[in-house]
Amino acid sequence: APTAPVRPRVVLVGPPGAGKSTVAAELAGRLGAVVRDTDADVEATAGKPITEIFVDDGEPAFRTLERAAVLAALTEHSGVLALGGGAVLDGEVQAALAGYRAAGGTVVFLDVSLSAAAPRVGFNRSRPLLLGNPRAQWQTLMETRRPVYEAVASLRVATDDLTPAQVAEVIAAEL
Ligand code: S3P
């Protein structure tokens, strides 16, 4: 008899430049799962890129859209879900992630150093929170958020010396 389709439930969290989108694609390919990305969901809802949401409507408006996107995705989506880097700062998101874990879902913190993240975040202008001095701003974000990433995650993967495929392999082995 055919086996039932695998319905892994994995959420990836971590700062900009941790490789969430790339690892999500690798992991989904490996698991035969579908990827969803809350940044893309927010852009679809708003009908414009995140940079424009920040400029036109401000960060609080973005965070409101993001919270709704995350809460919807966590209930609707079976598969691999990548969260925007700041989504975990929201209390309702934190509570929803706790529920997701209690229901058997896996929340993975992709940990990364500044030197490994910098080449990924430094060379484009698509991240409104890193427009001034990307390295200093990234470091400040990470200092504030590290305890939150650690608190919401059930698994931390140190990604600096791994390829995205290797990170996906580590995660898949833990599911
Ligand atoms: C943000 C990260 C971005 C995006 C927005 C805000 C943040 O997502 O949601 O620019 O606060 O760290 P990535 O983590 O995918 O870059």
Side-chain angles (χ1 to χ4, degrees), residues 13-21 37-40 42-43 50-51 54 59 62-63 66 82-89 121 126-130 138 141 145 149:
V13 303
K20 297 184 294 291
S21 304
D37 182 319
T38 62
D39 284 341
V42 168
E43 291 185 334
I50 287 170
T51 42
F54 270 71
E59 182 175 354
F62 169 74
R63 295 300 177 194
E66 182 176 52
L83 299 195
V88 298
L89 297 175
V121 298
S126 68
R127 289 178 171 98
L129 293 181
L130 303 175
W138 187 94
L141 287 186
R145 293 177 183 176
Y149 291 136

Side-chain angles (χ1 to χ4, degrees), residues 2-163:
T3 51
V6 182
R7 305 305 295 270
R9 287 169 55 77
V10 183
V11 171
L12 303 181
V13 303
K20 297 184 294 291
S21 304
T22 312
V23 170
E26 286 280 352
L27 183 61
R30 170 178 283 271
L31 299 172
V34 175
V35 180
R36 189 155 157 177
D37 182 319
T38 62
D39 284 341
D41 289 353
V42 168
E43 291 185 334
T45 301
K48 54 189 172 185
I50 287 170
T51 42
E52 286 180 30
I53 303 173
F54 270 71
V55 170
D56 296 349
D57 311 307
E59 182 175 354
F62 169 74
R63 295 300 177 194
T64 299
L65 290 172
E66 182 176 52
R67 177 191 306 121
V70 174
L71 297 179
L74 285 175
T75 47
E76 294 163 9
H77 182 65
S78 282
V80 180
L81 176 66
L83 299 195
V88 298
L89 297 175
D90 181 82
E92 282 184 59
V93 167
Q94 291 168 10
L97 287 173
Y100 181 90
R101 286 177 54 181
T106 303
V107 181
V108 184
F109 168 28
L110 297 186
D111 199 355
V112 64
S113 69
L114 172 63
S115 55
R120 304 194 188 116
V121 298
F123 299 136
N124 72 65
R125 307 275 82 188
S126 68
R127 289 178 171 98
L129 293 181
L130 303 175
L131 285 179
N133 178 341
R135 296 177 69 91
Q137 287 165 316
W138 187 94
Q139 246 173 334
T140 302
L141 287 186
M142 189 57 153
E143 273 168 29
T144 312
R145 293 177 183 176
R146 170 175 291 285
V148 183
Y149 291 136
E150 288 178 347
V152 299
S154 45
L155 174 67
R156 184 185 74 94
V157 180
T159 64
D160 275 16
D161 300 322
L162 302 178
T163 65

